[in-house]
């Protein structure tokens, strides 16, 4: 079986590459000239240069390749300009699928890695309940909006069999944003944002997302459908940092609880610095809305029913693996 993986140099994509190799598949990793290929050193990996902004270039590059599966994990989660989210996450998906429809009409499955963020702050009245696929999406970030537009384009125009996966917060080895918390705690500081309403968080370890990719592509029930992915548990906002402190054995950690207005100002200042210096930061105006969202519960029952999704790694074990990776 031949598989093409976009975003193969990134966090989730590189883990998908490794699992595909473990399963004995012929792996093609989409890269750019500027890509950091430190996770693509296995000699069995075939590299292919794809430009998501050009249908013509991709059509020519994949002509005659006869891929069986394509996993589209490429995308941006932070950017200097809002337009970048749409150019990469929405238009890039549209261009890739257009090229595949022309060059690989026999494709057995196109897997699109989306996000729970496409729904935004829904079901935020107490007591919180699980977000379901029957809820009306109302994303309040450029990232979430761009992923939602990509999903809607697939639903309206994709003639290939496709499946959409919407993981909640994905963490694990190689992930950078959550590791900022680890570094902060190592320095003795843990920051929590104050709010009058509690925050219910969900997480999913990267290996569970990877297993969902391969399980869903083998099930006929998943064609044309979208699925939430989490580890099946709901956590208070401090649990993640509590587990980090426990794994690090940190004895003296200053836990600061900042008001929401302080977070807003910090994100605005960081965003301005990003634009001034051209360097990306996790703390930005778009990410502010993600940090302030109260309810991240989601219904994974359809994934369990349709392709046997069974998350294996709960948060405590996942944090242990991540911290000590």
């Amino acid at each position: 079986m031949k598989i093409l993986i976009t975003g193969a140099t990134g966090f989730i994509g590189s883990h998908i590459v490794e699992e595909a190799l473990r399963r004995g598949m012929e792996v093609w990793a989409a890269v750019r000239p500027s890509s950091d290929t430190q996770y693509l050193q296995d000699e069995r990996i075939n590299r292919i240069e794809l430009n998501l902004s050009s249908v013509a270039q991709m059509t020519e590059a994949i002509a005659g390749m006869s891929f069986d599966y394509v996993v589209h994990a490429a995308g941006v989660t932070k950017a200097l300009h809002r337009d970048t989210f749409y150019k990469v996450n929405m238009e890039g998906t549209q261009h890739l699928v257009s090229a595949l429809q022309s060059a690989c009409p026999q494709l057995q499955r196109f897997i699109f890695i989306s996000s729970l963020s496409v729904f935004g702050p829904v079901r935020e009245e107490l007591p919180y309940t699980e977000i379901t696929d029957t809820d009306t999406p109302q994303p309040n970030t450029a990232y979430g909006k761009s992923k939602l537009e990509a999903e809607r384009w697939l639903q309206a125009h994709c003639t290939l069999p496709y499946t959409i996966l919407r993981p909640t917060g994905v963490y694990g080895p190689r992930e950078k944003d959550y590791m900022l918390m680890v570094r902060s705690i190592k320095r003795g500081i843990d920051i929590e944002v104050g709010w009058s309403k509690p925050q219910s968080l969900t997480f999913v370890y990267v290996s569970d997302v990877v297993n969902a990719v391969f399980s869903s592509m083998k099930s006929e029930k998943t064609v044309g459908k979208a699925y939430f992915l989490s580890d099946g548990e709901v956590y208070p906002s401090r649990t993640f940092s509590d587990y980090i402190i426990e794994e690090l054995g940190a004895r003296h950690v200053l836990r600061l609880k900042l008001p929401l207005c302080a977070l807003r100002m910090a994100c605005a200042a960081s965003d301005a610095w990003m634009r001034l210096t051209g360097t990306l930061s996790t703390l930005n105006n778009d990410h502010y809305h993600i940090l302030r969202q109260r309810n991240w519960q989601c219904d994974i029952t359809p994934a369990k029913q349709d392709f046997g999704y069974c998350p294996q790694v709960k948060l405590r074990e996942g944090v242990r693996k991540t911290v000590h990776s």
Side-chain angles (χ1 to χ4, degrees):
M1 291 293 179
K2 183 184 293 188
I3 186 171
L4 169 67
I5 302 163
T6 72
T9 61
F11 166 47
I12 297 176
S14 63
H15 285 281
I16 296 173
V17 167
E18 290 179 355
E19 179 62 18
L21 290 173
R22 192 188 70 79
R23 291 172 180 250
M25 304 178 81
E26 180 182 331
V27 177
W28 289 78
V31 298
R32 297 169 298 165
S34 60
S35 295
D36 180 353
T37 59
Q38 62 175 314
Y39 303 129
L40 302 181
Q41 298 304 308
D42 193 301
E43 61 182 13
R44 294 171 294 173
I45 300 171
N46 303 284
R47 301 180 189 178
I48 180 171
E49 185 176 328
L50 294 183
N51 180 357
L52 292 176
S53 65
S54 173
V55 176
Q57 186 276 332
M58 288 191 288
T59 302
E60 181 178 358
I62 64 178
M65 296 294 288
S66 300
F67 294 113
D68 297 292
Y69 304 102
V70 172
V71 181
H72 184 35
V76 294
T77 58
K78 48 184 173 286
L80 294 176
H81 305 287
R82 292 176 65 87
D83 287 351
T84 303
F85 288 106
Y86 297 92
K87 289 179 180 178
V88 177
N89 296 341
M90 197 285 282
E91 293 180 10
T93 302
Q94 176 183 346
H95 294 161
L96 175 61
V97 172
S98 296
L100 290 169
Q101 288 178 158
S102 174
C104 299
Q106 81 296 331
L107 190 71
Q108 294 184 35
R109 191 66 57 89
F110 177 83
I111 303 290
F112 177 55
I113 307 296
S114 186
S115 169
L116 177 56
S117 290
V118 301
F119 276 80
V122 299
R123 295 182 178 262
E124 296 224 311
E125 295 300 321
L126 291 170
Y128 304 143
T129 55
E130 291 179 336
I131 299 169
T132 73
D133 56 13
T134 60
D135 286 313
T136 301
Q138 44 183 314
N140 58 357
T141 64
Y143 170 71
K145 291 175 182 177
S146 66
K147 284 288 191 178
L148 179 59
E149 288 194 18
E151 285 192 15
R152 287 176 170 169
W153 188 90
L154 286 175
Q155 292 161 354
H157 302 288
C158 185
T159 60
L160 300 169
Y162 69 86
T163 300
I164 298 169
L165 299 179
R166 298 166 173 159
T168 183
V170 188
Y171 70 105
R174 303 175 193 165
E175 200 281 330
K176 297 179 180 179
D177 291 346
Y178 283 122
M179 291 305 292
L180 292 175
M181 187 181 298
V182 176
R183 289 196 288 271
S184 178
I185 290 174
K186 282 182 176 179
R187 293 194 295 267
I189 299 175
D190 178 35
I191 298 176
E192 181 183 3
V193 179
W195 185 264
S196 59
K197 295 169 65 176
Q199 188 176 41
S200 292
L201 297 177
T202 52
F203 300 89
V204 60
Y205 192 69
V206 64
S207 63
D208 284 325
V209 175
V210 172
N211 287 333
V213 167
F214 290 93
S215 297
S216 63
M217 69 172 54
K218 296 292 187 178
S219 172
E220 291 301 318
K221 293 181 180 179
T222 65
V223 175
K225 295 182 181 180
Y227 298 91
F228 298 118
L229 302 176
S230 78
D231 70 3
E233 303 291 338
V234 179
Y235 303 93
S237 58
R238 285 181 57 163
T239 305
F240 194 82
S241 59
D242 284 344
Y243 288 164
I244 293 173
I245 291 171
E246 179 182 308
E247 288 303 320
L248 292 176
R251 296 183 178 181
H252 305 289
V253 178
L254 178 62
R255 308 195 78 155
L256 301 177
K257 190 167 186 177
L258 302 180
L260 192 64
C261 61
L263 173 65
R264 189 73 182 96
M265 290 187 292
C267 287
S270 179
D271 201 86
W273 181 252
M274 279 172 48
R275 297 176 188 279
L276 180 65
T277 63
T279 57
L280 296 176
S281 171
T282 301
L283 202 62
N284 55 66
N285 284 331
D286 202 60
H287 198 64
Y288 163 77
H289 296 288
I290 294 177
L291 294 172
R292 76 189 299 265
Q293 185 170 321
R294 298 292 92 189
N295 181 30
W296 289 93
Q297 299 180 49
C298 57
D299 181 16
I300 63 173
T301 303
K304 292 180 176 180
Q305 294 175 339
D306 286 0
F307 59 92
Y309 177 61
C310 183
Q312 299 296 304
V313 183
K314 303 302 183 183
L315 189 60
R316 183 184 293 275
E317 179 187 357
V319 168
R320 181 180 303 116
K321 290 182 175 182
T322 302
V323 169
H324 300 296
S325 63

